[in-house]
Amino acid sequence: MKNIFALIVLALIFTVSVAAQDSSDHKHMDMKNTHHDMKSMDKTQQEITRNIDPKTAASIKEIVGYYLQLKDALVNDKSKDAAAAGKEIIDAFEKLDKNFLSPEQKELYVEVEEDAKEMAEHIGDNAGNIEHQREHFDMLSADIYDLVKEFGGGQTLYKIYCSMYNDKKGAIWLSESKTIKNPYYGKKMLTCGTVEEEIK
């Protein structure tokens, strides 16, 4: 009799345990699905807010990609690689089809394009003169910042500020990572900088 009673108690404990686990799994799945839905909603809302044609978005992403290559080359004190990336930036700007831009977008883009291509040209033509390249990277970074604020960059970017550069007037750059790797000083002062903004 005692054995039968013990078996009944064990069966009840097992049933309650399985029910609790099942409930926990459903709550976890619901939270996961909700998180996914929110991420999808955020992305859709960003695209609607910016109203960017997919071909334009792809072209801007390409420009940003070469800008990040340029940034990395300067971080690693590689002037020739920086020059090559500068030339790629010019080509990427020239490939963007402006027919997909609204009048307001076109006005901003043309303004940024003209200045950014001039800065990239200085960088591309000065392999071996990394300090000159860094001077123009300062101004190019401001242009690319304006570009991604309007059109997005195709990925999460971080605006980072170095207060020491340019006789302590300061300068910004964009990075795909929060980790500070300073393109203005390279190995001399690699970790100088502060993350100021996350751009999605």
Side-chain angles (χ1 to χ4, degrees):
M1 187 65 183
K2 284 183 180 178
N3 289 339
I4 293 172
F5 181 72
L7 285 171
I8 292 171
V9 170
L10 284 172
L12 284 171
I13 291 172
F14 176 76
T15 303
V16 170
S17 175
V18 168
Q21 181 64 41
D22 188 52
S23 175
S24 174
D25 288 347
H26 276 90
K27 284 180 181 176
H28 179 72
M29 289 289 290
D30 288 345
M31 288 177 66
K32 193 174 177 181
N33 289 337
T34 301
H35 180 66
H36 177 74
D37 290 346
M38 287 177 69
K39 283 181 70 176
S40 298
M41 189 181 297
D42 286 347
K43 187 176 179 182
T44 304
Q45 285 173 343
Q46 285 171 12
E47 289 171 350
I48 291 170
T49 301
R50 287 194 172 111
N51 194 24
I52 308 299
D53 183 271
K55 290 182 180 178
T56 299
S59 296
I60 298 292
K61 186 176 181 179
E62 185 178 2
I63 292 169
V64 171
Y66 287 125
Y67 168 84
L68 294 174
Q69 286 184 22
L70 168 59
K71 180 263 298 176
D72 289 340
L74 295 176
V75 165
N76 293 301
D77 301 317
K78 292 184 176 178
S79 180
K80 287 185 179 178
D81 290 350
K87 291 176 180 176
E88 294 287 4
I89 289 172
I90 295 170
D91 290 343
F93 266 105
E94 289 178 348
K95 283 195 298 185
L96 187 142
D97 190 343
K98 299 182 185 69
N99 290 321
F100 294 104
L101 301 175
S102 70
E104 293 79 13
Q105 289 170 343
K106 189 173 183 179
E107 183 178 0
L108 185 141
Y109 178 80
V110 168
E111 186 178 328
V112 169
E113 179 191 29
E114 185 178 349
D115 196 60
K117 283 170 64 178
E118 183 181 343
M119 299 307 124
E121 189 175 342
H122 274 275
I123 293 167
D125 290 345
N126 281 278
N129 188 355
I130 198 164
E131 294 311 319
H132 186 73
Q133 290 176 317
R134 283 172 169 148
E135 289 173 11
H136 288 279
F137 179 74
D138 176 2
M139 293 176 273
L140 176 63
S141 293
D143 291 329
I144 300 297
Y145 173 75
D146 290 342
L147 195 71
V148 299
K149 288 292 284 185
E150 177 66 23
F151 296 98
Q155 60 183 305
T156 299
L157 294 167
Y158 300 93
K159 176 188 173 188
I160 303 177
Y161 178 70
C162 170
S163 61
M164 298 293 290
Y165 189 68
N166 196 15
D167 293 329
K168 297 186 179 179
K169 292 176 184 172
I172 67 156
W173 76 91
L174 299 180
S175 175
E176 69 278 36
S177 168
K178 289 181 179 178
T179 303
I180 305 294
K181 291 185 178 180
N182 193 315
Y184 295 108
Y185 290 106
K187 293 176 184 175
K188 291 179 184 175
M189 209 171 352
L190 188 62
T191 59
C192 178
T194 307
V195 176
E196 285 195 334
E197 183 180 354
E198 180 177 332
I199 308 165
K200 291 186 176 180

